[in-house]
């Protein structure tokens, strides 16, 4: 009846906004050649290479290109991959502290079961990237550009998205602890399926994101504090 009344009044019903889903990567690697050994080279060109169970700690692969490559079980402590490009690549079981991926490009990349801490990805470009499983502490994505990115079943401890641009980004069954969304720009960001949603900064930057009713209740005290509203039970002094 209400819809008929609206129609008779000449007012069109408001359409429910639909969050655009992220496009996931579809990585199909060709037969790979085992890495010949030696250290990574700055501005190196790696095409169809299999890096397996290697200790790449402290090496310098800044500006290198990894096309149709797989990194499996590799150690990346303090590895320098500044401005490196990973295209059609699979990174599985990688581990490391202080990995430098600042201003790197990840396009059509799957990252599974990573164990990383203090990763520098600020200023990076991530497009059609899936991060599944594992745990990443203190991920620095400041001023990065994320488009069609899915975080699934992983744990992100104090990730820093400050000043980043997020478009079609999904957080599915993952844990966010102390996330920093300060100065973020969001478009079609889906937080509804996050197993835990902890936001330390940037609540005022959630325009363009969608959350669940339960998450809204959990975040209500923080929202109230953000706009300076005191919440007290009736009769409290």
């Amino acid at each position: 009846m209400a819809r008929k009344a609206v129609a008779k009044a000449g007012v069109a019903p408001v359409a429910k906004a639909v969050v655009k889903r992220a496009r996931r990567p579809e990585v199909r690697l060709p037969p790979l050649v085992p890495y010949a050994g030696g250290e990574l080279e700055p501005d190196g060109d790696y095409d169809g290479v299999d890096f397996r169970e290697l200790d790449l700690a402290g090496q310098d692969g800044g500006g290198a290109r990894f096309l149709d490559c797989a990194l499996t079980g590799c150690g990346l402590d303090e590895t320098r991959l500044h401005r490196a490009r990973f295209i059609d690549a699979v990174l599985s079981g990688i581990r490391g502290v202080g990995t430098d991926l600042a201003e790197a490009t990840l396009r059509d990349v799957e990252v599974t079961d990573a164990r990383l801490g203090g990763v520098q990805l600020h200023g990076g470009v991530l497009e059609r990237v899936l991060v599944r499983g594992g745990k990443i502490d203190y991920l620095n994505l400041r001023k990065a550009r994320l488009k069609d990115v899915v975080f699934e079943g992983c744990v992100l401890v104090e990730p820093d998205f400050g000043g980043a641009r997020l478009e079609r980004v999904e957080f599915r069954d993952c844990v966010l602890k102390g996330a920093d969304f300060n100065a973020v720009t969001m478009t079609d960001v889906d937080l509804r399926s996050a197993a835990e949603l902890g936001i330390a900064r940037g609540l005022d930057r959630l325009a363009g994101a969608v959350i669940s009713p339960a998450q809204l209740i959990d975040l209500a005290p923080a929202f109230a504090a953000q706009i300076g509203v005191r919440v007290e039970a009736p009769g409290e002094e």
Side-chain angles (χ1 to χ4, degrees):
M1 294 293 292
R3 289 184 178 179
K4 291 181 179 179
V6 169
K8 288 181 178 179
V11 179
V14 178
K16 183 178 179 180
V18 177
V19 181
K20 295 180 181 178
R21 300 289 300 272
R23 293 182 294 170
R24 297 189 175 217
E26 296 182 1
V27 183
R28 296 181 178 88
L29 295 178
L32 303 179
V33 177
Y35 183 53
E39 294 200 354
L40 296 175
E41 297 181 1
D43 299 316
D45 196 350
Y46 303 99
D47 192 342
V49 179
D50 184 13
F51 299 83
R52 185 170 296 271
E53 305 294 337
L54 300 176
D55 184 3
L56 304 175
Q59 297 187 23
D60 187 356
R65 185 187 72 133
F66 299 84
L67 174 64
D68 289 326
C69 288
L71 278 72
T72 305
C74 292
L76 299 175
D77 291 283
E78 303 292 340
T79 304
R80 187 175 184 274
L81 293 164
H82 180 80
R83 292 185 178 175
R85 290 169 291 163
F86 292 85
I87 302 170
D88 290 308
V90 175
L91 285 60
S92 178
I94 56 174
R95 60 194 185 280
V97 176
T99 309
D100 182 5
L101 283 158
E103 300 182 41
T105 296
L106 280 68
R107 182 172 294 116
D108 291 304
V109 171
E110 295 180 2
V111 182
T112 59
D113 299 322
R115 295 284 176 175
L116 301 169
V119 179
Q120 300 300 314
L121 245 172
H122 53 85
V125 177
L126 286 71
E127 185 172 351
R128 293 187 299 277
V129 174
L130 170 63
V131 180
R132 178 190 291 130
K135 181 182 180 184
I136 306 178
D137 297 327
Y138 313 114
L139 173 61
N140 184 351
L141 282 164
R142 295 185 68 83
K143 296 186 178 180
R145 289 179 289 159
L146 287 72
K147 185 175 182 179
D148 293 311
V149 176
V150 179
F151 295 95
E152 183 175 87
C154 57
V155 177
L156 303 177
V157 178
E158 297 189 27
D160 187 352
F161 294 92
R165 288 187 286 168
L166 280 63
E167 181 179 355
R168 294 197 297 272
V169 177
E170 299 178 16
F171 297 85
R172 304 185 65 82
D173 301 318
C174 63
V175 173
L176 276 79
K177 296 184 177 182
D180 186 346
F181 290 125
N182 185 48
V184 165
T185 301
M186 296 187 179
T187 304
D188 292 311
V189 175
D190 195 343
L191 293 159
R192 291 174 295 180
S193 297
E196 180 181 329
L197 180 57
I199 300 176
R201 288 172 293 278
L203 279 168
D204 59 330
R205 305 297 298 190
L206 291 183
V210 58
I211 62 176
S212 70
Q215 289 169 335
L216 177 60
I217 293 172
D218 291 339
L219 292 172
F223 277 124
Q226 180 75 36
I227 61 176
V229 174
R230 295 171 56 190
V231 181
E232 298 179 355
E236 288 186 359
E237 295 295 333

